[in-house]
mmCIF file of all heavy atoms in Angstrom:
data_model
loop_
_atom_site.group_PDB
_atom_site.id
_atom_site.type_symbol
_atom_site.label_atom_id
_atom_site.label_comp_id
_atom_site.label_asym_id
_atom_site.label_seq_id
_atom_site.Cartn_x
_atom_site.Cartn_y
_atom_site.Cartn_z
ATOM 1 N N GLY S 634 -112.588 -29.136 122.451
ATOM 2 C CA GLY S 634 -113.558 -28.042 122.076
ATOM 3 C C GLY S 634 -113.671 -27.859 120.627
ATOM 4 O O GLY S 634 -113.719 -26.552 120.245
ATOM 5 N N ILE S 635 -113.714 -28.736 119.769
ATOM 6 C CA ILE S 635 -113.933 -28.578 118.288
ATOM 7 C C ILE S 635 -112.953 -27.762 117.610
ATOM 8 O O ILE S 635 -113.337 -26.724 117.073
ATOM 9 C CB ILE S 635 -115.423 -28.096 118.235
ATOM 10 C CG1 ILE S 635 -116.332 -28.676 119.268
ATOM 11 C CG2 ILE S 635 -115.885 -28.484 116.812
ATOM 12 C CD1 ILE S 635 -117.719 -28.001 119.302
ATOM 13 N N GLN S 636 -111.703 -28.163 117.572
ATOM 14 C CA GLN S 636 -110.719 -27.386 116.691
ATOM 15 C C GLN S 636 -110.455 -28.189 115.464
ATOM 16 O O GLN S 636 -110.457 -29.465 115.552
ATOM 17 C CB GLN S 636 -109.496 -27.073 117.448
ATOM 18 C CG GLN S 636 -109.603 -26.083 118.619
ATOM 19 C CD GLN S 636 -109.937 -26.654 119.953
ATOM 20 O OE1 GLN S 636 -109.790 -27.925 120.210
ATOM 21 N NE2 GLN S 636 -110.584 -25.871 120.787
ATOM 22 N N ARG S 637 -110.233 -27.503 114.323
ATOM 23 C CA ARG S 637 -110.057 -28.209 113.121
ATOM 24 C C ARG S 637 -108.788 -29.236 113.186
ATOM 25 O O ARG S 637 -107.862 -28.968 113.864
ATOM 26 C CB ARG S 637 -109.716 -27.267 112.051
ATOM 27 C CG ARG S 637 -108.710 -26.269 112.063
ATOM 28 C CD ARG S 637 -107.386 -26.793 111.406
ATOM 29 N NE ARG S 637 -107.366 -26.679 110.004
ATOM 30 C CZ ARG S 637 -106.417 -27.252 109.228
ATOM 31 N NH1 ARG S 637 -105.623 -28.077 109.831
ATOM 32 N NH2 ARG S 637 -106.598 -27.161 107.982
ATOM 33 N N SER S 638 -108.888 -30.325 112.425
ATOM 34 C CA SER S 638 -107.761 -31.224 112.293
ATOM 35 C C SER S 638 -107.522 -31.456 110.890
ATOM 36 O O SER S 638 -108.298 -30.996 110.013
ATOM 37 C CB SER S 638 -107.968 -32.500 112.901
ATOM 38 O OG SER S 638 -108.865 -33.354 112.154
ATOM 39 N N GLY S 639 -106.379 -32.302 110.450
ATOM 40 C CA GLY S 639 -106.238 -32.610 109.158
ATOM 41 C C GLY S 639 -107.356 -33.582 108.700
ATOM 42 O O GLY S 639 -107.217 -33.854 107.444
ATOM 43 N N ALA S 640 -108.239 -33.993 109.438
ATOM 44 C CA ALA S 640 -109.283 -34.812 108.957
ATOM 45 C C ALA S 640 -110.601 -34.042 108.791
ATOM 46 O O ALA S 640 -111.557 -34.570 108.353
ATOM 47 C CB ALA S 640 -109.458 -35.986 109.990
ATOM 48 N N THR S 641 -110.597 -32.879 109.259
ATOM 49 C CA THR S 641 -111.833 -32.004 109.139
ATOM 50 C C THR S 641 -112.144 -31.887 107.698
ATOM 51 O O THR S 641 -111.230 -31.422 106.835
ATOM 52 C CB THR S 641 -111.694 -30.619 109.912
ATOM 53 O OG1 THR S 641 -111.273 -30.866 111.167
ATOM 54 C CG2 THR S 641 -112.975 -29.761 109.727
ATOM 55 N N PRO S 642 -113.384 -32.118 107.295
ATOM 56 C CA PRO S 642 -113.663 -31.791 105.876
ATOM 57 C C PRO S 642 -113.780 -30.327 105.419
ATOM 58 O O PRO S 642 -113.988 -29.503 106.352
ATOM 59 C CB PRO S 642 -114.918 -32.625 105.575
ATOM 60 C CG PRO S 642 -115.616 -32.502 106.999
ATOM 61 C CD PRO S 642 -114.550 -32.606 107.957
ATOM 62 N N ARG S 643 -113.603 -30.090 104.123
ATOM 63 C CA ARG S 643 -113.632 -28.701 103.785
ATOM 64 C C ARG S 643 -115.034 -28.191 103.984
ATOM 65 O O ARG S 643 -116.039 -28.907 103.854
ATOM 66 C CB ARG S 643 -113.384 -28.738 102.122
ATOM 67 C CG ARG S 643 -113.549 -27.423 101.578
ATOM 68 C CD ARG S 643 -113.129 -27.436 100.056
ATOM 69 N NE ARG S 643 -113.465 -26.151 99.426
ATOM 70 C CZ ARG S 643 -113.038 -25.745 98.215
ATOM 71 N NH1 ARG S 643 -112.568 -26.697 97.494
ATOM 72 N NH2 ARG S 643 -113.303 -24.630 97.732
ATOM 73 N N GLY S 644 -115.085 -26.913 104.410
ATOM 74 C CA GLY S 644 -116.241 -26.209 104.669
ATOM 75 C C GLY S 644 -116.832 -26.404 106.004
ATOM 76 O O GLY S 644 -117.675 -25.554 106.421
ATOM 77 N N ALA S 645 -116.304 -27.331 106.796
ATOM 78 C CA ALA S 645 -116.986 -27.490 108.120
ATOM 79 C C ALA S 645 -116.457 -26.327 109.095
ATOM 80 O O ALA S 645 -115.274 -26.011 108.981
ATOM 81 C CB ALA S 645 -116.400 -28.896 108.729
ATOM 82 N N ALA S 646 -117.374 -25.875 109.910
ATOM 83 C CA ALA S 646 -117.008 -24.847 110.801
ATOM 84 C C ALA S 646 -116.434 -25.424 112.171
ATOM 85 O O ALA S 646 -117.234 -26.360 112.691
ATOM 86 C CB ALA S 646 -118.245 -24.042 111.117
ATOM 87 N N THR S 647 -115.351 -25.038 112.543
ATOM 88 C CA THR S 647 -114.849 -25.427 113.906
ATOM 89 C C THR S 647 -114.434 -24.174 114.627
ATOM 90 O O THR S 647 -114.451 -23.093 114.060
ATOM 91 C CB THR S 647 -113.667 -26.372 113.827
ATOM 92 O OG1 THR S 647 -112.505 -25.667 113.347
ATOM 93 C CG2 THR S 647 -113.856 -27.614 112.878
ATOM 94 N N THR S 648 -114.036 -24.371 115.942
ATOM 95 C CA THR S 648 -113.625 -23.063 116.600
ATOM 96 C C THR S 648 -112.442 -22.560 115.983
ATOM 97 O O THR S 648 -112.095 -21.330 116.396
ATOM 98 C CB THR S 648 -113.456 -23.411 118.111
ATOM 99 O OG1 THR S 648 -112.536 -24.488 118.212
ATOM 100 C CG2 THR S 648 -114.784 -23.758 118.730
ATOM 101 N N THR S 649 -111.547 -23.258 115.311
ATOM 102 C CA THR S 649 -110.292 -22.728 114.761
ATOM 103 C C THR S 649 -110.342 -22.505 113.140
ATOM 104 O O THR S 649 -109.569 -22.217 112.625
ATOM 105 C CB THR S 649 -109.103 -23.410 115.121
ATOM 106 O OG1 THR S 649 -109.275 -24.897 114.876
ATOM 107 C CG2 THR S 649 -108.698 -23.369 116.622
ATOM 108 N N SER S 650 -111.461 -23.022 112.756
ATOM 109 C CA SER S 650 -111.862 -22.708 111.319
ATOM 110 C C SER S 650 -113.315 -22.376 111.115
ATOM 111 O O SER S 650 -114.093 -22.868 110.622
ATOM 112 C CB SER S 650 -111.684 -23.924 110.416
ATOM 113 O OG SER S 650 -112.551 -24.971 110.823
ATOM 114 N N PRO S 651 -113.545 -21.217 111.876
ATOM 115 C CA PRO S 651 -115.050 -20.747 111.970
ATOM 116 C C PRO S 651 -115.555 -20.338 110.677
ATOM 117 O O PRO S 651 -114.702 -19.915 109.738
ATOM 118 C CB PRO S 651 -114.837 -19.632 112.999
ATOM 119 C CG PRO S 651 -113.445 -19.111 112.941
ATOM 120 C CD PRO S 651 -112.704 -20.266 112.575
ATOM 121 N N ALA S 652 -116.918 -20.318 110.515
ATOM 122 C CA ALA S 652 -117.451 -19.747 109.333
ATOM 123 C C ALA S 652 -117.542 -18.198 109.497
ATOM 124 O O ALA S 652 -118.384 -17.845 110.230
ATOM 125 C CB ALA S 652 -118.859 -20.353 109.113
ATOM 126 N N GLY S 653 -116.603 -17.576 108.790
ATOM 127 C CA GLY S 653 -116.688 -16.146 109.007
ATOM 128 C C GLY S 653 -117.266 -15.483 107.815
ATOM 129 O O GLY S 653 -117.969 -16.125 106.977
ATOM 130 N N LYS S 654 -117.041 -14.137 107.810
ATOM 131 C CA LYS S 654 -117.642 -13.329 106.660
ATOM 132 C C LYS S 654 -117.121 -13.634 105.355
ATOM 133 O O LYS S 654 -117.543 -13.509 104.330
ATOM 134 C CB LYS S 654 -117.746 -11.901 106.986
ATOM 135 C CG LYS S 654 -118.665 -11.475 107.963
ATOM 136 C CD LYS S 654 -118.797 -10.046 108.382
ATOM 137 C CE LYS S 654 -119.784 -9.737 109.515
ATOM 138 N NZ LYS S 654 -119.316 -8.761 110.363
#
Side-chain angles (χ1 to χ4, degrees):
Chain S
I635 324 164
Q636 291 86 25
R637 60 90 79 192
S638 79
T641 305
R643 179 172 173 176
T647 71
T648 55
T649 52
S650 64
K654 283 183 184 142

